[in-house]
């Protein structure tokens, strides 16, 4: 049975119990959310050391970090290091998106060593196999794609992006769209290319029931990919994107009917004024399925700093109901990230998640901010660093430019906190 | 006459003309906004090389960078370098906030070499003089504070933070507030301390007419400081903050009546869900005075990354009507920033400004995003870098991990843009 099926029967799995403890909610609440499909606990039954992470309504906003090789940058070791760096920075899930080298070996290794949910995009294998084996993607059979899903399931992958919403009707409309960037989803482009070339319906859509059977067998959480997510703010929130979203809403219902855990992926590049609408339409159409966004990026014109751009979009998206943020690194749109980029990307996404949790007045999140303020009032630097999203960087800063007194080298003796505390309390020391 | 008085008479100053050109608006629009006080063009008549920058409704969101020495870190040369770094990164204004060394010399030098508005906080001089000359701040006379304003005016400073809204009634309430951090404004704490110790009304409030006379004489733009801005998200939007804002609204009316340009400073630390309300209440109470915020920071728990936190808050604040963003560097709350921090701080604030300008559908801003998307479609890397908020960092990234084909090393041969363009156009090359 899947986590969803257990929850519907009122059975408390170890993962549901664990999640209740770390989130500070009752296990009954966990079961209710998972049973209704408003939250997922992605855990392949073969991924033994996955302790359980809840993604969805009523839980803390979660962060995913992508790792993976690409052509010319195919060191598995480096990608393993990136996974560790991401976890150290606080990532709640890791997606293995390698497109070069020993894909299966890397996938299995990450599943072995990582105790959080591990995700993948099975369709990438098609592109890679086409290069490695001299076989063209267009020559794959529909059944080959389904087989890739099964292989990933057997490797212990907890959640998989499946581009099942890209129907023939939608992909044909690409020829007449006024989008600047027709498609920026790698998986979407691969399956879309196959569909256009072979003039065949999307196998992930056509054989969705078979995918559900595999997902149910291993308890894979499906992450319904948005092939038509906008890749530029000028392309956002158009008919193609929303048409696919409607299909995804139908697929969510099918998955839930079979007891399969499912979440929905969202944009992408969206101007700030449209982020709230994007989240609310997605939540409404998918009947509160957990929403997983990439960014979103409210401008395109800051390459090198897309982690900051994504932090802005992600904070707003999460405040309005997004449950799961895929990190974006400073290298996005320019090159494959290195370990430092991964670290920075996770921290930026964690900041967005914290901002949203505080704005949504989660008691534990708001209390942490209170403790931070109190640590500032009392110049308790160790507590400040301990509560910080990253303890190391602020500690380095303080050591680099120290100040001998209680405050810091910014204001030196003219620290407002110190001056006014003394005056307001009547114990005048400075001025 | 001040820019406001000229505008009211329909006289086109060189600065109003310049501003109209760079903003792509009619000079009539500039005059209307400046005449009504919805926008300011800060320019001390002694600051000859200040070409003019418009801050306010209908103009691009602007970014201010603070520089300045502090005790133990008093190299003027380093601060001059920071000013140049800030300008290179795109800062629209520089505030000189030195609290150690030759304050006047530094101020004058920056005014001499900088062609954008230069701001200052005259009250800081009191604290510094008290250290340097062994005179206690509490021993200053009310007239000493007013004299500091005149000295800064003579030095060519274009806009000054004046903490005139902190009345005796408000500062007394500090003893009974449940705020965690009573006050985090340096200037506010200095004058508030003086008031409490001497049991005297705030001289900036009491002698506001004299300050207006000085401001009018040199055409100083007053930036009404918010001494009571919250210094922690748990303290945000309280009675103290809003009480001071109401006083600032009265002072705005007094300034406008005398033809003095004026803007209003705002928080500070504010949870994301309260930022819109903060901006709208401020704009309403001050009758659309240009609004200048520090951050705002929607969480306190990310020291070392406050530039990212501020980018989130700043983007939302600017989208809802804030006109002027004071940058926050990664060093905020931990140490005095260095040159790299200044650069990163300005870039993060520029990103927030761009996000807001795009979301507010400024034609030029939205068009830049269109050009960026088109450059991505055509793999025109030079144009991408040219349009970027910072050209150097993405170029470094691309050189560090190059890819020989059209795309980048992230996706290698599996670039969605390339795949789908070929398929949708019928010219199949890959797959």
């Amino acid at each position: 049975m899947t986590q969803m099926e257990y929850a519907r029967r009122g059975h408390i799995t170890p993962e549901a119990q664990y999640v209740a403890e770390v989130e500070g909610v009752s296990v009954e609440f966990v079961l209710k959310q998972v049973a209704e499909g408003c939250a997922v606990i992605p855990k392949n039954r073969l991924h033994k050391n996955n302790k359980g992470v809840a993604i969805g309504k009523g839980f803390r906003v979660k962060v995913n970090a992508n790792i993976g090789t690409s052509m010319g940058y195919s060191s598995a070791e480096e990608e393993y290091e990136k996974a560790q760096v991401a976890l150290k920075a606080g990532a709640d899930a890791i997606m293995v998106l390698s497109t070069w080298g020993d894909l299966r070996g890397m996938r299995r290794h990450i599943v072995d060593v990582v105790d959080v949910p591990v995700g993948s995009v099975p369709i990438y294998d098609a592109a890679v196999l086409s290069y490695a084996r001299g076989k063209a993607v267009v020559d794959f059979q529909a059944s080959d794609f389904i087989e890739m899903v099964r292989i990933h399931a057997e490797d212990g992958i907890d959640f998989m992006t499946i581009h099942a919403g890209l129907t023939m009707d939608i992909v044909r409309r690409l020829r007449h769209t006024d989008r600047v960037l027709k498609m920026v989803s790698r998986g979407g482009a691969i399956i879309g290319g196959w569909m256009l070339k072979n003039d065949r319906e999307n196998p992930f859509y056509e054989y969705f029931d078979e995918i559900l059977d595999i997902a149910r067998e291993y308890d894979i959480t499906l992450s319904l990919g948005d092939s038509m997510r906008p890749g530029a703010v000028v392309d956002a929130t158009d008919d193609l994107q929303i048409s696919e979203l409607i299909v995804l809403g139908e697929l969510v219902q099918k998955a839930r009917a079979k007891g399969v855990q499912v979440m929905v992926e969202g944009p992408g590049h969206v101007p700030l004024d449209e982020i709230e609408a994007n989240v609310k339409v997605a939540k409404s159409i998918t009947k509160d399925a957990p929403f997983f966004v990439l960014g979103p990026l409210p401008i395109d014109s800051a390459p090198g700093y897309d982690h900051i751009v994504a932090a802005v979009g992600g904070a707003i998206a999460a405040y309005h109901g997004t449950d799961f943020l895929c990190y974006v690194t400073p290298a996005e749109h320019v090159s494959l990230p290195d370990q430092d980029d991964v670290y920075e990307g996770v921290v930026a996404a964690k900041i967005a998640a914290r901002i949203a949790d505080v704005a949504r007045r989660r008691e534990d999140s708001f209390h942490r901010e209170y403790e931070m303020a109190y640590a500032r009032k009392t110049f308790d630097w160790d507590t400040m660093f301990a509560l910080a999203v990253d303890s190391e960087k602020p500690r380095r800063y303080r050591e680099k430019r120290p100040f001998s007194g209680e405050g810091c080298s910014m204001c030196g003796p003219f620290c407002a906190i110190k001056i006014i505390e003394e005056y307001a309390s009547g114990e005048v020391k400075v001025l």
Side-chain angles (χ1 to χ4, degrees), chain A residues 179-185 226-238 240-241 266-271 294 297-301 306 332-333:
Chain A
R179 279 187 173 199
V180 179
L181 292 167
K182 291 194 177 69
M183 213 192 269
V184 296
S185 158
D226 55 333
S227 310
M228 284 300 180
R229 69 168 178 267
V233 294
V234 296
D235 290 340
T237 325
D238 69 351
L240 293 173
Q241 179 196 331
H269 297 238
V270 187
L294 179 58
L297 299 170
I299 52 170
D300 303 329
S301 61
D306 275 331
E332 186 78 17
H333 297 108

Side-chain angles (χ1 to χ4, degrees), chain A residues 19-32:
Chain A
V19 155
E21 282 162 22
V22 297
E23 298 270 349
V25 296
S26 71
V27 74
E28 290 73 27
F29 177 77
V30 175
L31 297 189
K32 179 175 177 293

Side-chain angles (χ1 to χ4, degrees), chain A residues 12 28 44 60 99 156 168 237 246 260 274 303-304 337 389 396:
Chain A
I12 300 167
E28 290 73 27
N44 185 317
R60 273 193 291 274
T99 57
M168 211 45 195
T237 325
I246 290 166
V260 169
E274 290 181 5
V389 69
R396 276 202 311 276

Side-chain angles (χ1 to χ4, degrees), chain A residues 360-413:
Chain A
R360 295 171 82 178
R361 307 292 162 137
R362 269 194 69 94
E363 210 177 308
D364 50 0
S365 303
F366 210 76
H367 187 70
R368 184 194 53 228
E369 299 303 314
Y370 171 83
E371 287 185 309
M372 189 74 184
Y374 195 82
R376 287 210 164 120
K377 178 198 185 83
T378 55
F379 301 102
D380 177 354
W381 293 94
D382 286 332
T383 300
M384 280 186 243
F385 298 146
L387 294 169
V389 69
D390 168 25
S391 303
E392 291 175 11
K393 189 177 176 195
R395 202 181 285 276
R396 276 202 311 276
Y397 267 75
R398 189 160 163 76
E399 285 163 5
K400 192 173 67 173
R401 302 200 138 189
F403 175 68
S404 54
E406 276 188 317
C408 78
S409 56
M410 179 79 199
C411 298

Side-chain angles (χ1 to χ4, degrees), chain A residues 42-348:
Chain A
K43 181 182 161 78
N44 185 317
R45 63 180 87 260
L46 300 178
H47 188 187
K48 297 299 181 194
N49 57 337
N50 172 356
K51 289 187 282 187
V53 170
I55 300 165
K57 206 172 179 177
F59 299 97
R60 273 193 291 274
V61 177
K62 303 300 186 302
V63 167
N64 173 69
N66 296 337
I67 61 152
T69 55
S70 87
M71 187 184 180
Y73 301 90
S74 53
S75 157
E77 285 308 319
E78 187 181 332
E79 300 309 317
Y80 300 159
E81 278 171 39
K82 283 186 196 170
Q84 295 306 329
V85 163
L87 292 175
K88 188 184 161 212
D92 301 290
I94 303 283
M95 287 189 87
V96 188
L97 304 185
S98 286
T99 57
W100 211 257
D102 176 13
L103 304 192
R104 193 157 199 198
M106 284 186 266
R107 220 156 43 220
R108 287 177 162 183
H109 177 85
I110 294 291
V111 167
D112 274 351
V113 300
V114 159
D115 66 355
V116 297
V118 176
S120 71
V121 186
I123 184 79
Y124 288 179
D125 288 13
V128 180
L129 289 171
S130 74
Y131 252 75
R133 300 186 190 166
K135 184 177 183 178
V137 170
V138 291
D139 296 331
F140 280 94
Q141 302 300 309
S143 58
D144 294 333
F145 295 115
I146 310 302
E147 189 54 24
M148 288 167 204
V149 174
R150 182 174 291 282
I151 290 169
H152 283 238
E154 286 171 359
D155 291 342
I157 292 293
D158 303 292
F159 63 103
M160 290 180 203
T161 299
I162 303 290
H163 298 83
L166 184 67
T167 60
M168 211 45 195
D169 167 60
I170 296 168
V171 83
R172 278 201 186 111
R173 281 148 65 187
L174 270 181
R175 290 213 168 96
H176 311 289
T177 179
D178 61 355
R179 279 187 173 199
V180 179
L181 292 167
K182 291 194 177 69
M183 213 192 269
V184 296
S185 158
R186 261 197 295 190
I190 293 167
I191 199 66
W194 184 91
M195 291 162 68
L196 286 168
K197 180 68 181 169
N198 290 303
D199 197 24
R200 280 282 308 272
E201 185 52 275
N202 182 343
F204 295 115
Y205 178 76
E206 197 170 357
Y207 302 105
F208 193 64
D209 280 332
E210 291 184 28
I211 289 167
L212 289 178
D213 291 339
I214 300 170
R216 188 165 173 277
E217 188 182 341
Y218 295 85
D219 197 1
I220 310 299
T221 297
L222 296 183
S223 187
L224 299 176
D226 55 333
S227 310
M228 284 300 180
R229 69 168 178 267
V233 294
V234 296
D235 290 340
T237 325
D238 69 351
D239 61 317
L240 293 173
Q241 179 196 331
I242 306 300
S243 295
E244 186 184 30
L245 178 62
I246 290 166
V247 179
L248 298 185
E250 292 165 14
L251 299 176
V252 165
Q253 294 306 96
K254 282 194 178 183
R256 286 177 177 174
K258 280 216 177 180
V260 169
Q261 300 194 94
V262 62
M263 53 189 174
V264 168
E265 296 184 13
H269 297 238
V270 187
L272 192 70
D273 57 312
E274 290 181 5
I275 291 176
E276 178 178 357
N278 266 270
V279 178
K280 290 191 171 164
V281 168
K283 280 279 181 178
S284 182
I285 286 182
T286 67
K287 300 199 190 304
D288 267 333
F291 195 43
F292 180 21
V293 303
L294 179 58
L297 299 170
I299 52 170
D300 303 329
S301 61
Y305 300 88
D306 275 331
H307 61 310
I308 297 180
V309 179
V312 176
I316 310 300
Y319 171 58
H320 289 295
T322 296
D323 308 287
F324 197 19
L325 301 176
C326 185
Y327 87 158
V328 174
T329 79
E332 186 78 17
H333 297 108
V334 196
S335 65
L336 193 73
D338 65 15
Q339 286 90 324
D340 290 343
D341 298 323
V342 167
Y343 194 83
E344 279 191 68
V346 173
V347 168

